[in-house]
Amino acid sequence: MSFQLFALNDSQDFGARVARAAGVPLSPHEENDFEDGEHEARPLESVRNGEVFVIQSLYAGNEHSINDKLCRLLFFIGALKDASARRVTAVLPYLGYARKDQKSESRGPVTTRYMASLLEAVGTDHIVTIDVHNIPAYQNAFRLPTENLEARHLFIDYLAPRLQGEEIVVMSPDIGGVKRAERFQKTLSKRLQRDIPLAFKEKYRKEGAVSGDAIIGDVKGKLVIIEDDMISTGTTLSRSVRACAAAGVKGVIAAATHGLFSSKAPEVLADDILQEIIVTNTVPPFRLEGTSVMQKTTVLDAAPLFGEAIRRMHGGGSLTNLVQD
């Protein structure tokens, strides 16, 4: 028995790429907007007793907010379950609200858990995303099965041929990302067949203010690869780049799975010592269009990884092999 793959309108381009990688066509659906701001969505073919995957990347775009995209996803999954779909997997290349995974102040929300409750409430059976901000919090928020893919092999496949003979350091922009950077460092070391050192920058946040500029690790005269899960406003990356410049590095390359580039990111990331920014297409870098930063930004295609994951999930294959070395 085969499976059906839907991509909501906001994720059609990415969905088409996933469909090609998975070896199936996108199934037809329709989304209708009404004059009062309401909308509806439904599949245009039978899903009865079927295994269904739905793609929707939950980031704010030019046309729809993250909340609107979430609402469309929830309603469509509800419609699939009402149409007797046996199993529905939400494929979320970017999972919005994943950073709000704990109370940071008195009476503060834990929005990641509320996202889980909403997706569970409409009957979602499985969740797939990539490089979620906090893996334990993500896994603990959901009561249904969750999968977290990783983009580090995409980055290393792209970077490794250029790094032969270079003195390299892999750096996390804060201590919270050290485990992620360490996995990247170990995979890169294995690929290059030599030991690559690891460094990290201190970072403290108090009442919305960020401080800390010291780098723990030897980076002087070396090419630093800053590895992170996302670039949002760019301030964390910019602070890391300035700290690297002060430490006398040869240059900086940034690799982050999700390039949101919100607020003044195109301005704060224009530093010349930041030679290249590498992101994936889980979030198209539309906010960089027409800026100098776009000229040094490389976008890697994560769709084949999702396509292979979907094929394995349907066929009972292992996803572990996709993320391990």
Side-chain angles (χ1 to χ4, degrees):
M1 187 177 181
S2 187
F3 61 90
Q4 291 158 285
L5 178 62
F6 292 89
L8 297 185
N9 290 349
D10 288 304
S11 294
Q12 276 287 302
D13 290 344
F14 191 84
R17 291 175 176 271
V18 174
R20 285 195 295 272
V24 297
L26 281 179
S27 294
H29 80 290
E30 69 174 8
E31 298 176 43
N32 295 316
D33 295 314
F34 301 107
E35 293 180 355
D36 61 358
E38 295 182 359
H39 62 265
E40 67 176 12
R42 68 184 182 104
L44 292 177
E45 65 183 24
S46 175
V47 295
R48 182 175 297 276
N49 295 324
E51 181 174 20
V52 181
F53 295 84
V54 183
I55 300 172
Q56 178 79 309
S57 199
L58 297 175
Y59 61 90
N62 288 330
E63 186 174 355
H64 293 132
S65 70
I66 178 179
N67 300 328
D68 201 358
K69 290 181 178 181
L70 174 61
C71 195
R72 289 167 187 265
L73 174 66
L74 294 172
F75 288 176
F76 188 67
I77 292 174
L80 291 169
K81 298 299 283 191
D82 283 347
S84 299
R86 174 176 55 85
R87 179 181 176 85
V88 177
T89 298
V91 181
L92 312 175
Y94 178 70
L95 176 60
Y97 291 113
R99 285 174 287 178
K100 196 60 178 174
D101 53 30
Q102 60 182 316
K103 287 189 176 184
S104 56
E105 56 191 353
S106 178
R107 297 175 296 280
V110 187
T111 318
T112 300
R113 181 158 51 83
Y114 312 153
M115 287 280 287
S117 297
L118 288 168
L119 286 160
E120 291 163 2
V122 294
T124 311
D125 297 291
H126 210 142
I127 301 287
V128 182
T129 189
I130 184 171
D131 284 326
V132 75
H133 185 64
N134 184 330
I135 295 176
Y138 161 66
Q139 293 171 335
N140 290 328
F142 287 86
R143 292 172 294 179
L144 50 82
T146 57
E147 308 292 347
N148 179 64
L149 307 177
E150 297 182 22
R152 73 178 186 277
H153 288 287
L154 297 179
F155 293 129
I156 290 171
D157 286 345
Y158 172 77
L159 283 169
R162 303 164 46 193
L163 299 178
Q164 300 293 340
E166 288 276 8
E167 273 200 279
I168 312 159
V169 177
V170 172
M171 189 175 96
S172 171
D174 55 49
I175 194 169
V178 166
K179 286 293 184 183
R180 181 184 298 107
E182 185 180 36
R183 291 195 297 273
F184 187 95
Q185 169 229 8
K186 287 181 177 179
T187 302
L188 184 59
S189 295
K190 186 175 181 179
R191 180 70 61 87
L192 297 179
Q193 297 184 326
R194 57 189 170 97
D195 291 334
I196 306 297
L198 180 68
F200 69 91
K201 191 182 80 65
E202 63 176 354
K203 177 183 174 182
Y204 307 105
R205 188 184 300 272
K206 184 177 181 180
E207 297 179 354
V210 177
S211 61
D213 293 312
I215 294 176
I216 292 78
D218 180 16
V219 298
K220 186 175 181 179
K222 298 177 182 178
L223 177 63
V224 177
I225 302 173
I226 298 177
E227 202 274 340
D228 208 353
D229 63 312
M230 71 171 66
I231 301 171
S232 182
T233 62
T235 53
T236 295
L237 176 56
S238 177
R239 288 177 61 87
S240 297
V241 170
R242 292 199 304 270
C244 284
V249 305
K250 178 180 178 181
V252 178
I253 296 173
T257 306
H258 312 292
L260 299 176
F261 301 114
S262 54
S263 187
K264 296 182 179 180
E267 300 172 27
V268 302
L269 297 177
D271 197 316
D272 287 341
I273 199 169
L274 179 56
Q275 298 173 352
E276 186 176 12
I277 300 171
I278 312 166
V279 294
T280 75
N281 57 349
T282 58
V283 180
F286 60 95
R287 295 188 179 96
L288 295 183
E289 291 178 1
T291 70
S292 61
V293 176
M294 187 69 231
Q295 297 174 13
K296 61 180 178 181
T297 299
T298 300
V299 182
L300 304 181
D301 189 5
L305 182 59
F306 278 95
E308 179 61 21
I310 288 169
R311 284 198 325 104
R312 294 188 184 199
M313 290 175 67
H314 171 68
S318 171
L319 295 189
T320 303
N321 295 335
L322 281 179
V323 297
Q324 290 186 343
D325 294 335

